[in-house]
Each structure stands twice: as C-alpha cells, then as structure tokens.
C-alpha cells in the first residue's frame, strides 16, 4: 500500500498515478522512496507490457519537487537528493517496457523531468509545461538539463530553463515536447489505446527497440548528470535560493541579489 502513489493494472498495462493532488502532486521525499520501491516491483512483473504515468486530479501531472523540502536543503543534501532522483528517473527511462506519460495538467520542474524520462508524452489541452527552478534560485536536478535539450533542441531548452516560463499544450506539441494533445476528458482513453497498441506488438521487439532508440541519445550522460548535480547542490547554497523558496511559500514576489 502506498500513500503517495496509486498503482493499478488493466490486463498487461500498469497505471501509476502520482497521488498528492492537494499539493499538485509535488514530489516529496516520501513519494520518491515509494516510487523507487514500486519501480522495483514493476521491473519484476514479467506480464507487464506498458506503463502509464499520470497525476491525480484534473489540475496537475506533477508541479515539481516539493518546495517545502527545499527550504533547508544545503549543498550536501542537494547533491544527494538530486542523485537519488536522477537514478529513479533513469530507472523509468531504462525500464524494459515503454512508459507513456499522460500529462493531465501542470508538468513543472521535477514534473517536467519525470515526463522527460518517459518514452512518449501525450498531454491534455489543459497541460502546461515549464522549468521554473531558476525562479526559486536553483537549477533542475532530476535530469532536465540533459534530457530537455535532447528532446526539443538546445535553444528552446535553454529558453525554458533560463526564463522559467510556462508553455501551453499546443506550444509543447509544436516544439515536439509531446506527441499528441487531447481534451482532458479523452486523455486516458487515448493513452490507453496507444498503450494497448504497443502491448499488442511482440514484447521482445518492443523491448529491444526501446533500448536501441534510447541508446541513440547517449552522449556522455554520466558526466552531464554529475555536473547537473554539483551545480544543483551549489544553487542550494545561495541566498537567492532561500529567498526564492520563501517567496513562493509566502505567496509573494522574490527579491534576488545574485548571491
Ligand atoms: N511544492 C510544494 N507545494 C506545491 C508545489 C510544489 N512544487 N506546487 C504547488 N504546491 C501547493 C501550493 O503550495 C498549494 O498548497 P496550499 O493549498 O497548502 O497553499 C497547493 O499546492 C495548490 O497550489 P497553488 O495554490 O499555488 O495553485 P495555483 O493554481 O494558484 O498555481 C502553480 C498553480 C502555478 C502550478 C503554482 O502552484 C506553482 O507555481 N507551483 C510551483 C511550481 C514550481 O516552482 N515547481 C518547481 C519546483 S522546484 C523543482 O521541481 C526542482 C526539481 C529539481 C530539484 C530536486 C533535485 C533534487
């Protein structure tokens, strides 16, 4: 039994729902450790053909890392948490079965990074995407600086990560961040159809194809992740991070000093 996740199976398709709707499904430490355990079980389930990941409610897929947990995060913790989450998201990316992100609403920060770790992204017309970390005085730490440019190109990724601006579903479709957009009410049905189609293909061919296609994206990912983690850790030490996080929690605009 999980507190922050719901996991169900429909025939040979797994549906993992991130379940903290009152916090817009933000990724807490508890959620991370539950996700890690669940992924280990999913990995062992030989009958499974496709995994779908979505968010509970109609507002958010995942609105990022839990900002409350950022308040006291220093460099040492920042590095540790970043490495743990990179590992979990890489586990998702490298699961033998394809993973489809059904992005029902906000996919921000760590939520965008979660969607990026999936094999395919399909979203609702209500979805919004963004990497707002910079507005909190930190940088992405769950693989986003490496995966986003690979998917949508360096310039577009740079703009999203440097501005922290959100984009809507149509823009996400236009730049190739998502494959398809559906009305929210139809999203799960359409994602299920895609999952069933893939599940009907020869499982080993699907598995090998996924591995080979993933391999095409590997440059020197390990050092990219290491760099991201160190820089994320460093961003946790700044005064601007303290101010950015407090400003969000106190519902005011942050004042940044570049320190
Ligand atoms: N963390 C914690 N709580 C959150 C988060 C979050 N990321 N997002 C929303 N919430 C909470 C709100 O605080 C609020 O709680 P409460 O009702 O107790 O006040 C509740 O969810 C509802 O949210 P809002 O009232 O803010 O809803 P709105 O519709 O007004 O706004 C937004 C929706 C625009 C999505 C807004 O909630 C928002 O901007 N959220 C934060 C988005 C964000 O900055 N995400 C990035 C977080 S940082 C991150 O992901 C870093 C990842 C890498 C670092 C980790 C490496 C280890």
């Amino acid at each position: 039994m999980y507190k922050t996740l719901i996991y169900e199976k429909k025939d040979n398709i797994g549906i993992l729902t991130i379940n903290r709707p009152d916090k817009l499904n933000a990724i807490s430490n508890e959620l991370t450790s539950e996700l890690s355990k669940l992924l280990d079980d999913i990995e062992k389930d030989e009958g499974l053909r496709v995994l779908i990941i979505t968010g509970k409610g109609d507002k958010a897929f995942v609105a990022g890392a839990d900002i409350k947990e950022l308040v006291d995060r220093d460099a040492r913790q920042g590095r540790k948490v970043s490495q743990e989450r990179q590992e979990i998201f890489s586990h998702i990316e490298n699961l033998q079965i394809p993973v489809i992100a059904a992005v029902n609403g906000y996919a921000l920060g760590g939520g965008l990074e979660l969607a990026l770790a999936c094999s395919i992204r399909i979203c609702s017309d209500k979805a919004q995407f963004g990497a707002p970390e910079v507005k909190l005085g930190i940088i992405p730490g769950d693989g986003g600086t490496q995966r986003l440019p690979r998917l949508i190109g360096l310039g577009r990724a740079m703009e999203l990560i440097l501005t922290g601006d959100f984009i809507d579903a149509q823009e996400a479709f236009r730049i190739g961040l998502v494959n398809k957009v559906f009305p929210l009410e139809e999203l799960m049905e359409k994602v299920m159809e895609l999952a069933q189609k893939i599940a009907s293909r020869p499982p080993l061919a699907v598995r090998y194809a996924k591995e080979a296609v993933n391999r095409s994206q590997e440059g020197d990912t390990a050092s990219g992740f290491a760099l991201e983690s160190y820089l994320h850790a460093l961003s946790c030490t700044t005064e601007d991070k303290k101010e950015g996080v407090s400003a969000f929690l106190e519902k005011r605009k942050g004042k940044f000093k570049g320190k």
Side-chain angles (χ1 to χ4, degrees):
M1 250 330 249
Y2 296 100
K3 265 175 71 184
T4 61
L5 304 173
I6 300 167
Y7 182 64
E8 49 195 322
K9 262 174 82 173
K10 289 196 178 142
D11 301 322
N12 50 12
I13 295 166
I15 305 167
L16 190 174
T17 306
I18 308 291
N19 184 30
R20 294 186 75 211
D22 55 327
K23 296 294 170 196
L24 304 191
N25 301 320
I27 303 174
S28 60
N29 290 328
E30 182 184 32
L31 193 151
T32 310
S33 89
E34 290 194 343
L35 185 55
S36 175
K37 281 197 201 90
L38 178 57
L39 288 170
D40 287 342
D41 288 343
I42 285 172
E43 182 88 69
K44 287 181 206 135
D45 183 347
E46 296 202 344
L48 210 60
R49 295 285 172 262
V50 178
L51 176 67
I52 296 170
I53 301 182
T54 192
K56 182 81 177 167
D58 56 11
K59 203 166 163 187
F61 173 68
V62 168
D66 191 318
I67 299 177
K68 275 211 168 126
E69 293 178 354
L70 279 170
V71 176
D72 295 319
R73 189 171 298 166
D74 59 15
R76 190 187 59 78
Q77 292 160 334
R79 172 103 171 115
K80 183 169 171 282
V81 177
S82 167
Q83 280 180 319
E84 277 167 9
R85 295 193 186 173
Q86 286 176 351
E87 208 171 292
I88 291 169
F89 287 11
S90 291
H91 193 175
I92 292 173
E93 183 170 50
N94 295 317
L95 277 177
Q96 293 192 340
I97 54 169
V99 184
I100 306 175
V103 181
N104 48 314
Y106 289 112
L108 305 173
L112 173 63
E113 293 175 296
L114 174 60
L116 290 170
C118 298
S119 327
I120 296 173
R121 285 145 295 281
I122 310 289
C123 79
S124 90
D125 52 358
K126 302 282 186 317
Q128 291 197 53
F129 298 81
E133 287 90 340
V134 74
K135 295 200 265 185
L136 299 167
I138 56 169
I139 74 161
D142 301 343
T145 61
Q146 306 303 297
R147 290 195 180 99
L148 190 61
R150 284 185 198 150
L151 186 64
I152 63 170
L154 188 66
R156 288 193 171 112
M158 200 63 104
E159 186 177 344
L160 279 178
I161 291 173
L162 299 188
T163 61
D165 285 346
F166 297 175
I167 56 170
D168 65 17
Q170 286 309 330
E171 177 66 358
F173 174 69
R174 196 184 69 79
I175 65 176
L177 179 53
V178 300
N179 292 23
K180 289 193 174 74
V181 183
F182 294 106
L184 180 61
E185 315 76 67
E186 290 172 28
L187 177 68
M188 284 315 283
E189 183 193 326
K190 298 292 186 188
V191 169
M192 195 49 115
E193 276 172 24
L194 174 62
Q196 281 161 344
K197 184 186 280 184
I198 295 172
S200 74
R201 307 300 190 222
L204 285 178
V206 167
R207 185 196 296 183
Y208 300 151
K210 175 182 169 178
E211 192 177 340
V213 175
N214 269 354
R215 180 63 62 86
S216 74
Q217 298 303 298
E218 276 175 21
D220 184 7
T221 312
S223 56
F225 278 166
L227 179 69
E228 178 184 273
S229 232
Y230 279 120
L231 294 176
H232 173 77
L234 207 55
S235 68
C236 286
T237 67
T238 64
E239 281 182 34
D240 282 351
K241 170 255 175 181
K242 211 182 246 177
E243 167 63 9
V245 169
S246 307
F248 174 80
L249 294 174
E250 291 159 18
K251 302 185 191 293
R252 61 177 174 81
K253 208 164 187 289
K255 289 196 190 117
F256 301 110
K257 296 186 198 146
K259 287 187 186 159

